[in-house]
Amino acid sequence: MMIRSMIAAFCTVTFAGPALAQDGTMYPMEAPAEAGAIPLNTGGVEGQTASESWFRQWGDPMARNITAATLTPFLADPETATGASVIVAPGGGFMWLSMGNEGWEVAEALQDKGINAFVLKYRLQPTADTLDAFKEEMERRFAEAGNRDEDDDTPAGPPRWDLSNQLEDAEAAYAMILENKDEWGVDPARIGMIGFSAGAGLTMHTTLNSETVDLAFIGPIYGGMGPVDVPEGAPPMFAAIATDDFLFGGEFGLIQSWFDAGIPVEFHLYQNGGHGFGLGNPDRTSNKWFDAFIHWLDVNGFLEASSEE
C-alpha cells in the first residue's frame, strides 16, 4: 500500500501553492511580461511541437512547454547587498514550472535579505498542447504509476528524465552570472543554488555532474532523498523536507551521503508541510525553513563581504 499511497499523495499535493483556500482547478492564463528575463540562448527542445503556455492553479502561475530558457535577476539593494547570490530553480516534475511559489516569491525573499537571486526558467519535457489534454496526460501518468504491483519494492518517484537540456541551462545561467558579476554585485566565491522538488533535482544534478559550475552552497528543498555519490569538493548543503511529503518516505540517504563524505550538511525534517509548500503554507511547521536557511548562510559566513570587496 505504500506505493499507492505515495502516488495518491503526489496527485493531491503536487500543484499545491501557498493559497490553500483558493481553487485547485487549472485555469489558462496569458503569459506574464517577465520583465528583466534574459534569454540564455541554449537551444530548443527536440520533438517539441507545442508552444509555451501558462496556467494558474491555487493562485500560482505555472509555465509549460518551455523551449527557451531564461534567467531573471532580482538584485539586492546596493545599500544592503551582501554579494552572496543564489540561482533559484522552481519545480514541476520537469513538465511545468511553479514560477510564482517556487521562483519569483523566493527570489524576492532572498533579495530582501541582501542576496542577489536569479530565477532560472529552464527547458522542460514536452507536454500536450491544450490544457485539457495536459490534465488528461497527467491523470494517465499517475494512474499508470498507481497500477504498479504491490510487491514491487522499487521506490516510487519522478521519471528518470534525460537532464542534458536542464544542465546546459544551469551552466549557462552560472556563466552569465559570472560574466556580469561586477555589474550585478556578485561575489563569484559565494554563488549558490537552491531548488524545489524537480528544481532540487536539478540542483543536485548540477552539483554532481557539471564540470563548469562551482557552487559555494546548495539548498535542495523537498527533493529526492536517495543516496548519491558525492564528488570531491562538493559544496555544503542545506536540505529541508516534511514527513508528509511523498518524496520523503523515511529516506535519509542523501543526508548520509553528505555526512559520510565529510562535507557540512544541515537537514530540517518538518512534521508537516506536504509537497510544494514554497515559502510556507498556513499553520505548518515547515514555514520556518527560509529563516533557518538564512541563518545557516549567515553562520557559515556566506553573507559576509569578502576581503576583496
Side-chain angles (χ1 to χ4, degrees):
M1 296 299 291
M2 177 62 71
I3 290 175
R4 291 188 186 277
S5 63
M6 290 172 69
I7 295 299
F10 183 67
C11 296
T12 300
V13 304
T14 294
F15 296 107
L20 292 180
Q22 298 189 48
D23 189 352
T25 303
M26 298 182 203
Y27 296 100
M29 61 173 284
E30 293 294 326
E34 295 186 87
I38 305 171
L40 289 173
N41 299 317
T42 48
V45 175
E46 184 177 356
Q48 176 62 275
T49 58
S51 300
E52 179 180 314
S53 62
W54 290 67
F55 65 96
R56 188 178 297 277
Q57 189 178 42
W58 302 113
D60 191 43
M62 317 268 188
R64 297 193 298 120
N65 292 325
I66 296 170
T67 59
T70 65
L71 189 70
T72 302
F74 289 72
L75 303 180
D77 187 324
E79 294 186 2
T80 59
T82 64
S85 302
V86 178
I87 300 170
V88 180
F94 299 108
M95 292 175 285
W96 69 92
L97 288 185
S98 180
M99 293 298 295
N101 185 41
E102 297 171 346
W104 303 325
E105 293 174 14
V106 174
E108 289 172 350
L110 290 166
Q111 183 183 41
D112 289 343
K113 297 294 184 180
I115 301 169
N116 299 313
F118 301 89
V119 177
L120 174 59
K121 181 183 169 187
Y122 52 88
R123 287 172 288 172
L124 299 176
Q125 302 296 327
T127 58
D129 191 3
T130 68
L131 188 57
D132 285 341
F134 173 65
K135 296 175 188 176
E136 295 176 0
E137 182 180 26
M138 295 301 99
E139 291 172 358
R140 186 168 56 252
R141 291 190 183 192
F142 296 149
E144 291 172 354
N147 287 331
R148 296 175 61 185
D149 192 316
E150 291 291 347
D151 295 327
D152 186 351
D153 293 329
T154 305
R160 300 297 184 183
W161 301 118
D162 174 5
L163 298 183
S164 300
N165 285 348
Q166 291 78 11
L167 178 59
E168 185 179 3
D169 295 342
E171 290 177 336
Y174 181 80
M176 179 176 287
I177 293 169
L178 286 182
E179 183 179 352
N180 294 277
K181 62 182 177 64
D182 293 334
E183 179 184 351
W184 290 345
V186 171
D187 180 353
R190 291 184 289 141
I191 301 173
M193 185 171 182
I194 188 170
F196 301 82
S197 191
L202 178 55
T203 298
M204 292 306 305
H205 187 73
T206 303
T207 301
L208 301 178
N209 296 283
S210 178
E211 297 181 357
T212 62
V213 177
D214 184 15
L215 297 169
F217 56 86
I218 56 173
I221 309 301
Y222 46 82
M225 294 297 294
V228 298
D229 294 326
V230 183
E232 183 177 355
M237 178 173 67
F238 176 100
I241 199 167
T243 61
D244 56 354
D245 188 323
F246 72 97
L247 284 181
F248 174 53
E251 174 66 73
F252 296 93
L254 177 64
I255 309 307
Q256 189 70 50
S257 297
W258 240 252
F259 177 80
D260 290 345
I263 300 172
V265 56
E266 176 147 339
F267 176 52
H268 292 254
L269 178 61
Y270 292 100
Q271 175 187 336
N272 51 42
H275 190 74
F277 50 75
L279 289 176
N281 287 329
D283 303 321
R284 300 293 189 270
T285 62
S286 54
N287 287 0
K288 297 297 183 181
W289 78 264
F290 184 77
D291 294 337
F293 175 61
I294 297 299
H295 181 63
W296 179 79
L297 291 176
D298 189 22
V299 168
N300 283 279
F302 293 117
L303 303 186
E304 297 176 2
S306 67
S307 58
E308 297 180 358
E309 295 180 349

PDB file of all heavy atoms in Angstrom, residues 2 5-6 155-156 223 225 241-252 269:
ATOM      1  N   MET A   2       2.107   1.143   0.374  1.00  0.00           N
ATOM      2  CA  MET A   2       2.960   2.327   0.449  1.00  0.00           C
ATOM      3  C   MET A   2       3.064   3.021  -0.895  1.00  0.00           C
ATOM      4  O   MET A   2       2.940   4.235  -1.001  1.00  0.00           O
ATOM      5  CB  MET A   2       4.360   1.950   0.947  1.00  0.00           C
ATOM      6  CG  MET A   2       5.337   3.129   0.977  1.00  0.00           C
ATOM      7  SD  MET A   2       4.830   4.455   2.075  1.00  0.00           S
ATOM      8  CE  MET A   2       5.102   3.673   3.657  1.00  0.00           C
ATOM      9  N   SER A   5      -0.184   4.805  -1.826  1.00  0.00           N
ATOM     10  CA  SER A   5      -0.423   5.996  -1.011  1.00  0.00           C
ATOM     11  C   SER A   5       0.494   7.137  -1.425  1.00  0.00           C
ATOM     12  O   SER A   5       0.110   8.304  -1.391  1.00  0.00           O
ATOM     13  CB  SER A   5      -0.220   5.678   0.473  1.00  0.00           C
ATOM     14  OG  SER A   5       1.111   5.293   0.733  1.00  0.00           O
ATOM     15  N   MET A   6       1.715   6.815  -1.849  1.00  0.00           N
ATOM     16  CA  MET A   6       2.628   7.848  -2.301  1.00  0.00           C
ATOM     17  C   MET A   6       2.140   8.472  -3.597  1.00  0.00           C
ATOM     18  O   MET A   6       2.200   9.688  -3.785  1.00  0.00           O
ATOM     19  CB  MET A   6       4.028   7.261  -2.491  1.00  0.00           C
ATOM     20  CG  MET A   6       4.713   6.883  -1.196  1.00  0.00           C
ATOM     21  SD  MET A   6       6.242   5.985  -1.469  1.00  0.00           S
ATOM     22  CE  MET A   6       7.260   7.268  -2.163  1.00  0.00           C
ATOM     23  N   PRO A 155      11.421   1.998  -5.192  1.00  0.00           N
ATOM     24  CA  PRO A 155      10.849   3.255  -4.695  1.00  0.00           C
ATOM     25  C   PRO A 155      10.106   4.008  -5.780  1.00  0.00           C
ATOM     26  O   PRO A 155      10.579   4.123  -6.915  1.00  0.00           O
ATOM     27  CB  PRO A 155      12.085   4.042  -4.216  1.00  0.00           C
ATOM     28  CG  PRO A 155      13.137   3.005  -3.986  1.00  0.00           C
ATOM     29  CD  PRO A 155      12.871   1.924  -4.984  1.00  0.00           C
ATOM     30  N   ALA A 156       8.909   4.492  -5.456  1.00  0.00           N
ATOM     31  CA  ALA A 156       8.167   5.320  -6.405  1.00  0.00           C
ATOM     32  C   ALA A 156       8.791   6.704  -6.438  1.00  0.00           C
ATOM     33  O   ALA A 156       9.211   7.239  -5.419  1.00  0.00           O
ATOM     34  CB  ALA A 156       6.703   5.413  -5.988  1.00  0.00           C
ATOM     35  N   GLY A 223      13.294  17.760  -2.193  1.00  0.00           N
ATOM     36  CA  GLY A 223      13.724  16.986  -3.350  1.00  0.00           C
ATOM     37  C   GLY A 223      13.871  15.522  -2.986  1.00  0.00           C
ATOM     38  O   GLY A 223      13.545  15.098  -1.875  1.00  0.00           O
ATOM     39  N   MET A 225      15.420  12.082  -1.759  1.00  0.00           N
ATOM     40  CA  MET A 225      16.259  11.865  -0.582  1.00  0.00           C
ATOM     41  C   MET A 225      17.146  10.625  -0.687  1.00  0.00           C
ATOM     42  O   MET A 225      17.746  10.199   0.283  1.00  0.00           O
ATOM     43  CB  MET A 225      15.369  11.739   0.661  1.00  0.00           C
ATOM     44  CG  MET A 225      14.621  13.012   1.026  1.00  0.00           C
ATOM     45  SD  MET A 225      15.733  14.367   1.467  1.00  0.00           S
ATOM     46  CE  MET A 225      16.448  13.690   2.976  1.00  0.00           C
ATOM     47  N   ILE A 241      12.669  19.065   4.177  1.00  0.00           N
ATOM     48  CA  ILE A 241      11.539  18.302   3.653  1.00  0.00           C
ATOM     49  C   ILE A 241      10.590  18.025   4.812  1.00  0.00           C
ATOM     50  O   ILE A 241      10.990  18.104   5.979  1.00  0.00           O
ATOM     51  CB  ILE A 241      12.017  16.991   2.992  1.00  0.00           C
ATOM     52  CG1 ILE A 241      10.947  16.414   2.049  1.00  0.00           C
ATOM     53  CG2 ILE A 241      12.449  15.969   4.037  1.00  0.00           C
ATOM     54  CD1 ILE A 241      11.472  15.303   1.144  1.00  0.00           C
ATOM     55  N   ALA A 242       9.332  17.730   4.510  1.00  0.00           N
ATOM     56  CA  ALA A 242       8.346  17.420   5.547  1.00  0.00           C
ATOM     57  C   ALA A 242       8.066  15.920   5.571  1.00  0.00           C
ATOM     58  O   ALA A 242       8.173  15.237   4.555  1.00  0.00           O
ATOM     59  CB  ALA A 242       7.046  18.191   5.290  1.00  0.00           C
ATOM     60  N   THR A 243       7.697  15.410   6.743  1.00  0.00           N
ATOM     61  CA  THR A 243       7.444  13.971   6.861  1.00  0.00           C
ATOM     62  C   THR A 243       6.240  13.533   6.047  1.00  0.00           C
ATOM     63  O   THR A 243       6.149  12.360   5.658  1.00  0.00           O
ATOM     64  CB  THR A 243       7.215  13.570   8.333  1.00  0.00           C
ATOM     65  OG1 THR A 243       6.065  14.280   8.845  1.00  0.00           O
ATOM     66  CG2 THR A 243       8.424  13.894   9.192  1.00  0.00           C
ATOM     67  N   ASP A 244       5.306  14.454   5.769  1.00  0.00           N
ATOM     68  CA  ASP A 244       4.131  14.093   4.983  1.00  0.00           C
ATOM     69  C   ASP A 244       4.319  14.392   3.496  1.00  0.00           C
ATOM     70  O   ASP A 244       3.353  14.472   2.742  1.00  0.00           O
ATOM     71  CB  ASP A 244       2.875  14.787   5.516  1.00  0.00           C
ATOM     72  CG  ASP A 244       2.996  16.308   5.580  1.00  0.00           C
ATOM     73  OD1 ASP A 244       4.097  16.839   5.309  1.00  0.00           O
ATOM     74  OD2 ASP A 244       1.989  16.966   5.917  1.00  0.00           O
ATOM     75  N   ASP A 245       5.563  14.523   3.069  1.00  0.00           N
ATOM     76  CA  ASP A 245       5.898  14.689   1.662  1.00  0.00           C
ATOM     77  C   ASP A 245       6.104  13.304   1.053  1.00  0.00           C
ATOM     78  O   ASP A 245       6.840  12.481   1.609  1.00  0.00           O
ATOM     79  CB  ASP A 245       7.183  15.511   1.541  1.00  0.00           C
ATOM     80  CG  ASP A 245       7.514  15.915   0.114  1.00  0.00           C
ATOM     81  OD1 ASP A 245       7.279  15.104  -0.808  1.00  0.00           O
ATOM     82  OD2 ASP A 245       8.019  17.032  -0.075  1.00  0.00           O
ATOM     83  N   PHE A 246       5.484  13.046  -0.105  1.00  0.00           N
ATOM     84  CA  PHE A 246       5.604  11.729  -0.725  1.00  0.00           C
ATOM     85  C   PHE A 246       7.041  11.401  -1.117  1.00  0.00           C
ATOM     86  O   PHE A 246       7.390  10.231  -1.284  1.00  0.00           O
ATOM     87  CB  PHE A 246       4.692  11.648  -1.962  1.00  0.00           C
ATOM     88  CG  PHE A 246       5.170  12.448  -3.135  1.00  0.00           C
ATOM     89  CD1 PHE A 246       5.888  11.861  -4.160  1.00  0.00           C
ATOM     90  CD2 PHE A 246       4.893  13.804  -3.220  1.00  0.00           C
ATOM     91  CE1 PHE A 246       6.328  12.600  -5.240  1.00  0.00           C
ATOM     92  CE2 PHE A 246       5.328  14.551  -4.292  1.00  0.00           C
ATOM     93  CZ  PHE A 246       6.047  13.955  -5.316  1.00  0.00           C
ATOM     94  N   LEU A 247       7.911  12.409  -1.267  1.00  0.00           N
ATOM     95  CA  LEU A 247       9.299  12.158  -1.624  1.00  0.00           C
ATOM     96  C   LEU A 247      10.159  11.746  -0.437  1.00  0.00           C
ATOM     97  O   LEU A 247      11.305  11.335  -0.619  1.00  0.00           O
ATOM     98  CB  LEU A 247       9.911  13.408  -2.282  1.00  0.00           C
ATOM     99  CG  LEU A 247       9.501  13.686  -3.723  1.00  0.00           C
ATOM    100  CD1 LEU A 247      10.204  14.937  -4.243  1.00  0.00           C
ATOM    101  CD2 LEU A 247       9.820  12.497  -4.621  1.00  0.00           C
ATOM    102  N   PHE A 248       9.632  11.850   0.769  1.00  0.00           N
ATOM    103  CA  PHE A 248      10.433  11.505   1.951  1.00  0.00           C
ATOM    104  C   PHE A 248      10.416  10.002   2.206  1.00  0.00           C
ATOM    105  O   PHE A 248      11.410   9.309   2.004  1.00  0.00           O
ATOM    106  CB  PHE A 248       9.946  12.279   3.174  1.00  0.00           C
ATOM    107  CG  PHE A 248      10.633  11.861   4.450  1.00  0.00           C
ATOM    108  CD1 PHE A 248      12.016  11.833   4.533  1.00  0.00           C
ATOM    109  CD2 PHE A 248       9.895  11.465   5.560  1.00  0.00           C
ATOM    110  CE1 PHE A 248      12.652  11.431   5.700  1.00  0.00           C
ATOM    111  CE2 PHE A 248      10.517  11.067   6.719  1.00  0.00           C
ATOM    112  CZ  PHE A 248      11.902  11.045   6.791  1.00  0.00           C
ATOM    113  N   GLY A 249       9.314   9.474   2.658  1.00  0.00           N
ATOM    114  CA  GLY A 249       9.184   8.031   2.868  1.00  0.00           C
ATOM    115  C   GLY A 249      10.200   7.441   3.825  1.00  0.00           C
ATOM    116  O   GLY A 249      10.561   6.260   3.705  1.00  0.00           O
ATOM    117  N   GLY A 250      10.705   8.229   4.774  1.00  0.00           N
ATOM    118  CA  GLY A 250      11.660   7.711   5.748  1.00  0.00           C
ATOM    119  C   GLY A 250      13.076   7.558   5.218  1.00  0.00           C
ATOM    120  O   GLY A 250      13.911   6.921   5.867  1.00  0.00           O
ATOM    121  N   GLU A 251      13.359   8.142   4.077  1.00  0.00           N
ATOM    122  CA  GLU A 251      14.671   8.012   3.431  1.00  0.00           C
ATOM    123  C   GLU A 251      15.609   9.147   3.846  1.00  0.00           C
ATOM    124  O   GLU A 251      15.246  10.315   3.764  1.00  0.00           O
ATOM    125  CB  GLU A 251      14.494   8.014   1.916  1.00  0.00           C
ATOM    126  CG  GLU A 251      15.781   8.025   1.112  1.00  0.00           C
ATOM    127  CD  GLU A 251      16.600   6.763   1.269  1.00  0.00           C
ATOM    128  OE1 GLU A 251      16.188   5.730   0.724  1.00  0.00           O
ATOM    129  OE2 GLU A 251      17.644   6.839   1.953  1.00  0.00           O
ATOM    130  N   PHE A 252      16.819   8.789   4.294  1.00  0.00           N
ATOM    131  CA  PHE A 252      17.821   9.780   4.700  1.00  0.00           C
ATOM    132  C   PHE A 252      19.126   9.619   3.908  1.00  0.00           C
ATOM    133  O   PHE A 252      20.160  10.137   4.303  1.00  0.00           O
ATOM    134  CB  PHE A 252      18.134   9.645   6.193  1.00  0.00           C
ATOM    135  CG  PHE A 252      16.968   9.930   7.097  1.00  0.00           C
ATOM    136  CD1 PHE A 252      16.147   8.891   7.537  1.00  0.00           C
ATOM    137  CD2 PHE A 252      16.672  11.212   7.505  1.00  0.00           C
ATOM    138  CE1 PHE A 252      15.070   9.139   8.379  1.00  0.00           C
ATOM    139  CE2 PHE A 252      15.593  11.481   8.336  1.00  0.00           C
ATOM    140  CZ  PHE A 252      14.788  10.436   8.778  1.00  0.00           C
ATOM    141  N   LEU A 269      13.922  18.239   9.016  1.00  0.00           N
ATOM    142  CA  LEU A 269      12.791  17.361   8.749  1.00  0.00           C
ATOM    143  C   LEU A 269      11.597  17.898   9.532  1.00  0.00           C
ATOM    144  O   LEU A 269      11.579  17.848  10.759  1.00  0.00           O
ATOM    145  CB  LEU A 269      13.104  15.927   9.177  1.00  0.00           C
ATOM    146  CG  LEU A 269      11.982  14.912   8.990  1.00  0.00           C
ATOM    147  CD1 LEU A 269      11.587  14.802   7.522  1.00  0.00           C
ATOM    148  CD2 LEU A 269      12.391  13.545   9.543  1.00  0.00           C
TER     149      LEU A 269
END
